[in-house]
Amino acid sequence: MGQLPAYCPECHALFPAPLSAEGPTDVTFFDIPVRCARCEASGHIPANVREWIGQVAIAVRSVAKGERHSLLEALDDCRREGRGPSGCLERLGELEGRPGGVSDVFRRMEHQELDFAPLVAAAGVAALRLMEEEGPAAEELAREELVNWTMDRVLDDFAIEPPPDRGPSESERRLADTGRNEPCPCGSGEKYKDCHWMEDLRESR
């Protein structure tokens, strides 16, 4: 069982999703919306994310060992810069080896107009790091084992930590503690509903 990664197309954050995948079947056949752990925008668990991670992991493993370092740098650039599929293809096209299998993954993403290329690039980096560190053990892994290792590694290496809970704001505290017909906490003498209630309501949303 492995925790699924989620992605935010607004700030390009990668973060653990509140779902796990078990076995070879991907539980996310459709996009599942989740709130971004960094900017609180609308992120998502991409549809078939496990399959996409598997595709890039298998593709990078097929690249000749002498060409993997430059591939790792290119994929890491794509991840850090939040490049879309076409941007990733452009960056990969700069490599002398021109890794066809890896480019094909991003070409499919471009064709399907998918927005999580930086997550797939991060998975490629994670898979390359695994193979560099684990050597023959990673080279000989079955596909599903490689996918599981890569999914765990991509979250370990690149997932952001959720921001600390800041607690309720001043306006949220006033809304919780003050009845609408009670005196406004500002000391004006007016009823809360006739003074700062609406302003606090807007700020708390």
Side-chain angles (χ1 to χ4, degrees):
M1 179 178 290
Q3 193 162 23
L4 292 168
Y7 177 72
C8 175
E10 293 294 323
C11 70
H12 308 299
L14 193 160
F15 54 98
L19 281 177
S20 295
E22 184 172 5
T25 303
D26 188 347
V27 298
T28 55
F29 298 110
F30 304 98
D31 270 12
I32 299 176
V34 291
R35 187 176 297 278
C36 176
R38 173 188 286 159
C39 70
E40 299 189 351
S42 297
H44 63 116
I45 306 170
N48 300 312
V49 64
R50 183 184 174 86
E51 175 61 27
W52 285 104
I53 288 174
Q55 287 184 35
V56 77
I58 294 297
V60 300
R61 187 164 67 175
S62 68
V63 173
K65 292 182 180 179
E67 298 170 356
R68 288 179 179 176
H69 181 71
S70 58
L71 174 59
L72 188 150
E73 289 183 339
L75 289 172
D76 204 33
D77 286 346
C78 295
R79 174 194 67 82
R80 287 185 297 99
E81 296 166 10
R83 292 189 179 215
S86 60
C88 292
L89 286 169
E90 180 182 358
R91 179 67 180 88
L92 291 170
E94 299 170 3
L95 302 180
E96 290 184 13
R98 292 181 179 270
V102 181
S103 294
D104 287 345
V105 175
F106 292 102
R107 201 167 285 115
R108 287 191 289 272
M109 297 192 77
E110 183 180 42
H111 179 71
Q112 297 181 38
E113 300 181 350
L114 302 177
D115 67 358
F116 55 96
L119 188 160
V120 174
V125 173
L128 286 165
R129 288 178 177 174
L130 271 172
M131 286 179 278
E132 180 181 349
E133 294 170 9
E134 301 296 332
E139 300 285 350
E140 297 169 6
L141 286 173
R143 186 184 193 280
E144 289 307 318
E145 291 178 299
L146 178 61
V147 175
N148 289 337
W149 280 35
T150 303
M151 283 181 58
D152 289 342
R153 182 63 184 264
V154 77
L155 288 172
D156 288 344
D157 286 2
F158 301 117
I160 64 166
E161 292 293 330
D165 186 4
R166 297 184 297 271
S169 65
E170 189 63 34
S171 58
E172 289 170 332
R173 280 195 291 270
R174 285 195 295 264
L175 284 167
D177 296 341
T178 311
R180 293 179 68 226
N181 290 314
E182 293 178 8
C184 184
C186 74
S188 66
E190 296 183 28
K191 290 183 178 180
Y192 184 37
K193 67 179 181 181
D194 297 325
C195 194
H196 280 90
W197 177 77
M198 185 59 72
E199 180 181 337
D200 287 345
L201 190 64
R202 282 195 299 266
E203 289 181 0
S204 68
R205 288 179 176 174

